[in-house]
Amino acid sequence: MNQRARMELRQLEYFVAVAEEGGFGRAAERLSIVQSAVSQQIRRLERELGVPLFDRSTRHVHLSGAGERLLPEARAVLAAVRRTRQVAADIGAGIDGVLRLGIVQGPGDRVFRTLNELAAVAPRLQVRLRRLPLLARLSAVRTGELDAALVRALTEAPGLELLPVWTDPLYVALPAAHRLARSAEPRLQDLARLPLRLASREDNPPFHDLVTGACRDAGVAPPPGPPFTTLQETLAHIGAGAPSWTVFYEVAGLPEFPRVAIRPLAGPRLTTSLAVPPGSPTPALRHLLHSLTRVAHDERPDDAG
């Protein structure tokens, strides 16, 4: 705000004070300044507006007709300034404003439960959700188009920080008639000889690296099976074709398919992180992280069960 704008605002404050106190002296006391400064600023305001604001013809100061009409306008301006300052303070505290979040489709209704948690601590904070491909999501956080983004299985993102918020089991799909289907939690070592249907790395680099890295850590290299296409199509082939298996994570409930067994995979888990700009998170992001953590905490008893 330039010097002229500050002077105009101060002139309105002085105008309202004189009108409410009924005199320049009492207004000066209220404003903790000398009377001459009040009189000077009122004269400047009258010159700028081109109308007299007060009738000074008597021993007492009274509003002129123009002053009477302009008083509610001046009060409205000052009230708007106070509201603007309060909103700015609330934005600084993270309880108001706009938070732009890139999301992923996840199990259950985690995102909506997170929004409910967030609304409890920051009811005036508006959250705008955007669903974008992974690379576009990360780019939007880097450029400031998004404030943060949820990402799966990612271990690094140059120029950003990754804050883990959730972990989920991976699931194995294999023929229901296969002996391994009798295992409650097959291990990668158990599946080592069975052809693995896995999408190419180009389709989903973080998940591909998670699975191949887990196999490498387990000391196994399953033979490659036919490529993973869609989950529904891949499950249909597993149930009807030569024995093979695939691994996936839950998105909208576990699927049911004829002649296919779905089992949790022992060992590796899928981590969902919040990608944020480096440095100290803003108050709004801290509220979001707290809400994400609350949702994850509330799920743990069920996971343990």
Side-chain angles (χ1 to χ4, degrees), residues 100 102 136-149 160 275-277:
R100 302 156 302 172
R137 233 177 302 149
L138 295 173
S139 176
V141 178
R142 292 189 185 100
T143 61
E145 186 180 349
L146 290 178
D147 298 300
L160 299 175
V276 299

Side-chain angles (χ1 to χ4, degrees), residues 213-295:
C215 288
R216 186 169 55 250
D217 292 343
V220 300
F228 182 102
T229 51
T230 67
L231 182 58
Q232 294 296 319
E233 186 175 304
T234 300
L235 293 182
H237 290 160
I238 289 174
S244 63
W245 66 289
T246 193
V247 58
F248 64 97
Y249 49 84
E250 181 184 355
V251 172
L254 294 178
E256 295 184 8
F257 228 86
R259 300 183 296 278
V260 175
I262 306 293
R263 301 288 183 266
L265 176 63
R269 292 177 68 87
L270 179 76
T271 298
T272 299
S273 301
L274 188 68
V276 299
S280 179
T282 65
L285 281 180
R286 287 199 293 270
H287 289 317
L288 174 62
L289 282 167
H290 174 77
S291 300
L292 289 165
T293 302
R294 283 291 303 272
V295 168

Side-chain angles (χ1 to χ4, degrees), residues 155-267:
T155 57
E156 60 179 15
L160 299 175
E161 292 184 19
L162 298 177
L163 309 176
V165 291
W166 296 319
T167 61
D168 293 293
L170 297 177
Y171 292 91
V172 170
L174 69 164
H178 196 280
R179 61 179 181 80
L180 290 176
R182 296 193 293 271
S183 174
E185 275 190 292
R187 302 175 305 158
L188 288 172
Q189 293 88 338
D190 302 328
L191 298 158
R193 297 183 180 180
L194 200 60
L196 170 61
R197 294 175 178 262
L198 186 63
S200 66
R201 189 176 186 279
E202 290 74 19
D203 293 336
N204 190 342
F207 185 71
H208 186 279
D209 292 346
L210 172 65
V211 174
T212 56
C215 288
R216 186 169 55 250
D217 292 343
V220 300
F228 182 102
T229 51
T230 67
L231 182 58
Q232 294 296 319
E233 186 175 304
T234 300
L235 293 182
H237 290 160
I238 289 174
S244 63
W245 66 289
T246 193
V247 58
F248 64 97
Y249 49 84
E250 181 184 355
V251 172
L254 294 178
E256 295 184 8
F257 228 86
R259 300 183 296 278
V260 175
I262 306 293
R263 301 288 183 266
L265 176 63

